[in-house]
Amino acid sequence: SQQGEEDPQALSIQEGENATMNCSYKTSINNLQWYRQNSGRGLVHLILIRSNEREKHSGRLRVTLDTSKKSSSLLITASRAADTASYFCATDRAGYSTLTFGKGTMLLVSP
Amino acid sequence: KAGVTQTPRYLIKTRGQQVTLSCSPISGHRSVSWYQQTPGQGLQFLFEYFSETQRNKGNFPGRFSGRQFSNSRSEMNVSTLELGDSALYLCASSLVPTSGGAVDTQYFGPGTRLTVL
């Protein structure tokens, strides 16, 4: 089964609005990463947050991690049409050395 | 610096055939991982190679195999293709291999879309 589960499965917003996606996982992790995928292409790494970090920023992206709730959120501020993509969280579980992906959130940003 | 390249980008095969996919990592990256992406199962880890050795393997049948060459380029092979093997196959490279600790940032190629008829 998937380690990470994103919520919502799909999100539709207008340009300029903020988009928030959530990720929940089941077991202890070392790191949590967020990736973006445009229309069946390769994945692009967005941000990595370590288990001992609570919040991280990168440009218009803000990621939070709550290890007590085993959850993370990705906030994209001031969304643009170019942000339209699927967003995946990926975790590497403590004791394992492979990356496990969730099923992703499809984000549609309309002009 | 050039990104991860995968060839071919598209493949159409018939059931029972075999296929070989190729991946060239970012220059200097020595770890290569392979993933299968399907609408039903999402992204699933296939295997990881470092220094020509398979370090990790996902839960896939033995029909799926791979190898890595001394220049870090990697190939994966699927024998006796089944309809369910139709998927986007993604290769990712990273500077350091996964350890018992953390997984380094992975850089993905554009993928090879395999269709099995």
Side-chain angles (χ1 to χ4, degrees), chain A residues 39-55:
Chain A
S39 189
R41 294 185 168 182
L43 277 73
V44 174
H45 180 259
L46 296 176
I47 200 163
L48 180 153
I49 186 165
R50 304 192 187 284
S51 60
N52 61 355
E53 298 176 312
R54 291 297 167 257
E55 189 171 312

Side-chain angles (χ1 to χ4, degrees), chain A residues 2 30-31 33 35 37 39-45 47-48 50 86 88 91-103, chain B residues 9 35 37 39-45 48 55-57 88 90 98-111 113:
Chain A
Q2 299 290 338
N30 295 309
N31 300 321
Q33 305 184 40
Y35 288 83
Q37 184 178 37
S39 189
R41 294 185 168 182
L43 277 73
V44 174
H45 180 259
I47 200 163
L48 180 153
R50 304 192 187 284
S86 291
F88 296 87
T91 55
D92 53 342
R93 291 183 287 172
Y96 291 79
S97 50
T98 60
L99 208 55
T100 305
F101 286 84
K103 293 213 171 183
Chain B
R9 293 292 310 279
Y35 296 84
Q37 186 177 29
Q41 298 299 316
L43 276 152
Q44 296 188 91
F45 171 76
E48 181 205 6
R55 289 172 50 90
N56 292 290
K57 189 176 193 304
L88 181 67
L90 293 162
T98 58
S99 63
V103 176
D104 194 25
T105 296
Q106 299 198 339
Y107 297 86
F108 283 80
R113 185 162 296 281

Side-chain angles (χ1 to χ4, degrees), chain A residues 18 22 36 45 52 56 67 72 79 92 94-95 104:
Chain A
N18 295 342
N22 303 297
R36 183 187 75 218
H45 180 259
N52 61 355
K56 207 161 183 180
T67 52
S72 173
S79 296
D92 53 342

Side-chain angles (χ1 to χ4, degrees), chain B residues 21-93:
Chain B
L21 313 181
S22 180
C23 171
S24 293
I26 292 172
S27 177
H29 286 194
R30 298 172 64 194
S31 175
V32 174
S33 297
W34 288 88
Y35 296 84
Q36 180 197 64
Q37 186 177 29
T38 59
Q41 298 299 316
L43 276 152
Q44 296 188 91
F45 171 76
L46 278 160
F47 23 65
E48 181 205 6
Y49 287 89
F50 175 72
S51 290
E52 303 175 64
T53 301
Q54 186 181 91
R55 289 172 50 90
N56 292 290
K57 189 176 193 304
N59 189 25
F60 279 82
R63 301 186 295 107
F64 292 81
S65 63
R67 58 177 175 168
Q68 186 181 34
F69 302 95
S70 58
N71 61 358
S72 294
R73 190 176 69 84
S74 177
E75 288 181 348
M76 68 162 281
N77 184 277
V78 188
S79 62
T80 319
L81 284 166
E82 301 176 359
L83 295 178
D85 297 333
S86 294
L88 181 67
Y89 289 88
L90 293 162
C91 164
S93 73

Side-chain angles (χ1 to χ4, degrees), chain A residues 4-91:
Chain A
E5 295 289 339
E6 289 90 344
D7 168 62
Q9 289 188 326
L11 181 60
S12 182
I13 60 174
Q14 300 289 317
E15 266 192 327
E17 294 181 338
N18 295 342
T20 299
M21 287 158 268
N22 303 297
C23 169
S24 60
Y25 55 92
K26 295 172 184 165
T27 61
S28 297
I29 61 170
N30 295 309
N31 300 321
L32 186 143
Q33 305 184 40
W34 285 90
Y35 288 83
R36 183 187 75 218
Q37 184 178 37
N38 289 85
S39 189
R41 294 185 168 182
L43 277 73
V44 174
H45 180 259
L46 296 176
I47 200 163
L48 180 153
I49 186 165
R50 304 192 187 284
S51 60
N52 61 355
E53 298 176 312
R54 291 297 167 257
E55 189 171 312
K56 207 161 183 180
H57 296 256
S58 176
R60 294 184 296 113
L61 305 180
R62 172 177 168 254
V63 169
T64 62
L65 178 64
D66 187 335
T67 52
S68 66
K69 295 181 179 178
K70 293 187 171 58
S71 67
S72 173
S73 68
L74 170 67
L75 169 66
I76 304 174
T77 60
S79 296
R80 307 165 181 167
D83 294 328
T84 295
S86 291
Y87 292 81
F88 296 87
C89 69
T91 55

